[in-house]
Every structure is written in C-alpha cells, then in structure tokens.
Amino acid sequence: MPNKTVVVVNTTGRQGASVARVAAAVGYDVRAHVNTKDGPVAQELQDLDNVFVFEGSLTDICFVAKLFSGAQRAFVNTIPWGDEIAIGKALADAAKKAGVQHYIYSSMPDHSIYGQGWPGLPMWSVKFAVENYVRQIGLPATFVYTGIYNNNFTSLPYPLFCMKLQLDGSFEWTAPFHPDTTLPWLDAEHDIGPAVWQIFKDGLRKWSGHRIALAFEVMTPRQACTAFSKGVGRPVRYKQGPIKIEVPVPHGYREQLDGIQTLFGTSNAPYFGPDLAAPEEALALWEGYRGMEEYAREVFPVEEAANKLTWMN
C-alpha cells in the first residue's frame, strides 16, 4: 500500500488511544495527536512502534495542516478544548484539503431535533453540529456513536457512575436512569480500536455517511449491576435517584449532568435517539468485545488500585 498513515486526534483519551494502539499493531504509521506529552498514556504512545506523537493545539491552523498532510485515514474525537464546533470544522477542512480518503468522526445525537420536547445535551449537540458540517463539505466519512463506557465506573465520589462502596463491602450505583430502561455499553479502551479499524477495512463502499452505534451489550441498569456483581464478586445494587455532585467538575459538565437527568431520568428517551440501535452492527464489526462482567473482574480492580484505592486487598 503506497500510503499507510492514519491520523488519530486526542490519543490521550480512551477512544483515540484504543484506535492508535490497534493501528500501530497492524503496521500503520500513526500520527497521534496529544495536547501535551506529559502523562502515562502519552508516554506509552511514544514507546510504541509506528507511533509518531504530534504535540500541539488544534486551534493552530499550521499544526493541523501538518497533522493531516499526506495521511490516508483519520479518526477524530473532539472534546471541549475551547470552541469544539470551530475546532471540529477546522479539522474537517484540513482533512479535506489534505485529501484524506476516509474520515471517521466520533459523534453523538442531538435529541432536540426529534420533536419530542427532549433537550439536547450540550456536550453531544456540538458533536452533532460538527457531524453535519462534515457531511456538508463532502468529506468521505463515517460516524460512530459510542455507548456508555464500562470504564466510567469508579468507587471515587464522581457524579453519575460512582459505584459507592458500602460498609458491608457491597457496592451501590445511584443514577437517574429508570431501572428497566435499556442502555448501550462498551469497554472503550478494549473495543473501540478493533471496531473502528474494521470500519476502515470495510471502507466507504459499505460505510460512507453511515452512523454506527458502537455498543456491544444492551442492558438495563439492574442487568448491568448483576453482570458487574458477577465480575467483582460482591453484591451490587442499583438505585434510581438524582445525580449528586460531591466534587468539583469541569466547566460545562454540570449542565451536561442536568441534561442527562432530564433526558434519561425524566423523559426516559432512547440513548441514541429513535433512529439508531445497538448492538447488531457493533457485533458484526468486532466479536471479541470485553463485556461488563469481564471488565468488572479483570479491569475495575486494576483501575481502582491505580487510583490508590484498597478495598480489593
């Protein structure tokens, strides 16, 4: 193949890191964008064969042009590093100018467009706006919508996905989701990379302009807790309740949490909206996924230990 270069934007995040690892493993040259080379993930990437770390700001037009120049493929997951819509548009413009042949953008739905009185989540609606721009400029693209990360769970007092350790050694998860509503789940670090790479392999003939729900299990909160309990070897209970914010949260995240409370707690809206469902397409892309039970058994204790927690000892 004359060109074996893929750009991955935001490779210190779980999605980008997963894609970068897989791309490097199959022999692609990976231009791994990072905001800074500090931190364990950036250090890991620098030590991988075929990975070339590009440190810089996505608001720097010259840097972005250099990032995409001569690349064949790109995986882009924007996050709130300033004006996300402006950054997302600039990345798409640079990729089109550079002649990128397949652009995969990590988008999310804007529930406000469906005429149901649902609010648009602020951190999702900007991604949907960028997706629409990518379509408008004719960039050859596919759009992935990710489910809830198994990796979000922690016993630290973070809002929404705190698995709170009880005095009897069990865990309790409190969230606004109805106990019997189905939610999409995936292990971001383990499964996004292989699935995205299969999309690249299948190509635009199959996936041009397509939205794909990346989630490998669909479970209610109660079912998720049952699977988690099997993996962690302790009772895990679900309790429907309001989101509690007990620690400082990033700018804009409080508004996102308020929207989640209304959209999924009060309105019980479908996670991806009414037009997209999981897990059939995700499973067709990648059958070797890591489910909730395996995550809770193999990964959750390791991540907890990395956070200096000792309940598992």
Side-chain angles (χ1 to χ4, degrees):
M1 183 177 293
N3 187 332
K4 293 183 62 175
T5 299
V6 60
V7 172
V8 182
V9 171
N10 184 24
T11 51
T12 54
R14 293 188 187 272
Q15 294 189 37
S18 182
V19 174
R21 293 181 187 116
V22 171
V26 298
Y28 261 69
D29 289 339
V30 180
R31 293 182 189 164
H33 161 259
V34 299
N35 238 15
T36 173
K37 291 182 179 179
D38 296 332
V41 178
Q43 292 295 322
E44 174 207 340
L45 292 170
Q46 292 177 75
D47 293 336
L48 292 179
D49 292 338
N50 305 321
V51 174
F52 305 89
V53 173
F54 279 59
E55 180 182 28
S57 171
L58 297 178
T59 61
D60 183 336
I61 295 175
C62 294
F63 170 78
V64 170
K66 181 180 178 182
L67 183 65
F68 285 104
S69 179
Q72 180 188 25
R73 298 171 172 176
F75 175 79
V76 174
N77 178 31
T78 55
I79 62 174
W81 284 332
D83 187 338
E84 188 171 350
I85 293 178
I87 289 171
K89 289 181 175 181
L91 291 168
D93 287 338
K96 185 175 182 182
K97 185 176 181 179
V100 169
Q101 297 170 25
H102 194 170
Y103 191 89
I104 298 181
Y105 180 68
S106 182
S107 187
M108 286 303 279
D110 180 352
H111 284 76
S112 69
I113 71 171
Y114 294 110
Q116 302 291 324
W118 298 331
L121 298 181
M123 290 185 173
W124 290 10
S125 58
V126 294
K127 289 180 173 291
F128 189 74
V130 173
E131 175 188 334
N132 285 335
Y133 182 77
V134 171
R135 293 180 184 277
Q136 289 166 12
I137 67 172
L139 183 60
T142 306
F143 306 94
V144 293
Y145 285 46
T146 57
I148 301 171
Y149 297 179
N150 301 346
N151 321 72
N152 284 341
F153 284 119
T154 175
S155 66
L156 293 171
Y158 295 155
L160 191 55
F161 291 105
C162 174
M163 276 287 182
K164 189 171 183 179
L165 185 64
Q166 307 297 297
L167 291 176
D168 63 0
S170 65
F171 289 101
E172 184 176 87
W173 174 35
T174 301
F177 309 110
H178 188 279
D180 297 317
T181 195
T182 54
L183 298 170
W185 301 90
L186 84 160
D187 187 308
E189 291 193 11
H190 187 269
D191 299 321
I192 287 179
V196 164
W197 206 254
Q198 188 59 49
I199 296 169
F200 278 135
K201 289 175 67 177
D202 290 344
L204 290 164
R205 181 173 297 181
K206 183 172 184 177
W207 299 116
S208 179
H210 201 81
R211 293 185 179 121
I212 301 170
L214 278 191
F216 297 88
E217 294 181 303
V218 175
M219 298 182 289
T220 68
R222 286 173 172 159
Q223 290 170 335
C225 285
T226 297
F228 202 98
S229 176
K230 290 178 180 178
V232 81
R234 296 173 181 229
V236 179
R237 294 177 296 277
Y238 180 70
K239 177 182 177 182
Q240 185 180 15
I243 299 171
K244 296 180 180 179
I245 301 177
E246 301 176 348
V247 296
V249 296
H251 175 72
Y253 191 49
R254 185 179 293 269
E255 292 76 13
Q256 178 80 358
L257 292 172
D258 289 343
I260 288 171
Q261 181 89 40
T262 301
L263 183 63
F264 301 121
T266 304
S267 300
N268 199 23
Y271 190 84
F272 291 125
D275 300 332
L276 204 60
E280 287 75 19
E281 286 189 329
L283 291 172
L285 290 167
W286 170 237
E287 295 181 348
Y289 70 93
R290 182 159 59 199
M292 183 69 77
E293 180 179 341
E294 183 182 355
Y295 167 78
R297 182 176 63 249
E298 303 294 338
V299 182
F300 183 67
V302 176
E303 293 187 338
E304 292 280 275
N307 287 323
K308 303 187 185 308
L309 298 167
T310 59
W311 58 262
M312 68 294 289
N313 294 338

